[in-house]
Amino acid sequence: LMAAAAMGHVGVVRRLLREEPDVARKDKKGRTVLYYPMAKNHPEVLRALIMEGGAMWGTKEEEGPTSGRAERLGHWRCLEVWK
């Protein structure tokens, strides 16, 4: 799920959400799947994770660095989806 989200494969993400809906799972650095579409600027994937997967940030600490990074990189469409 994380790899598909990072690469922007929204169709694969949707299929995996039906099969493996663990959107709260964290990688080795403690990031959830929401990190990847925000960091890589894939708003369609972010929207699917939120709307179809029920994904949400685990903590305020997790949201801050990721949305801050997206803002610094100019990923405005992702930030619009998130807000």
Side-chain angles (χ1 to χ4, degrees):
L1 183 60
M2 289 183 186
M7 291 185 275
H9 298 303
V10 71
V12 175
V13 167
R14 286 184 171 127
R15 183 172 45 85
L16 290 172
L17 284 172
R18 289 190 298 269
E19 298 171 10
E20 178 196 333
D22 186 8
V23 295
R25 184 174 159 205
K26 295 186 177 186
D27 67 10
K28 292 179 182 179
K29 294 185 178 183
R31 300 175 295 206
T32 67
V33 70
L34 288 176
Y35 169 82
Y36 295 97
M38 289 285 281
K40 303 290 186 175
N41 199 26
H42 299 302
E44 302 84 13
V45 172
L46 183 62
R47 185 175 290 110
L49 289 167
I50 293 168
M51 301 303 289
E52 299 170 35
M56 61 182 65
W57 298 113
T59 65
K60 194 68 172 171
E61 292 77 28
E62 183 181 2
E63 175 186 357
T66 301
S67 60
R69 176 188 168 110
E71 188 172 333
R72 285 191 308 279
L73 293 172
H75 298 171
W76 307 116
R77 288 180 50 218
C78 283
L79 291 167
E80 288 173 6
V81 170
W82 182 245
K83 305 291 178 190

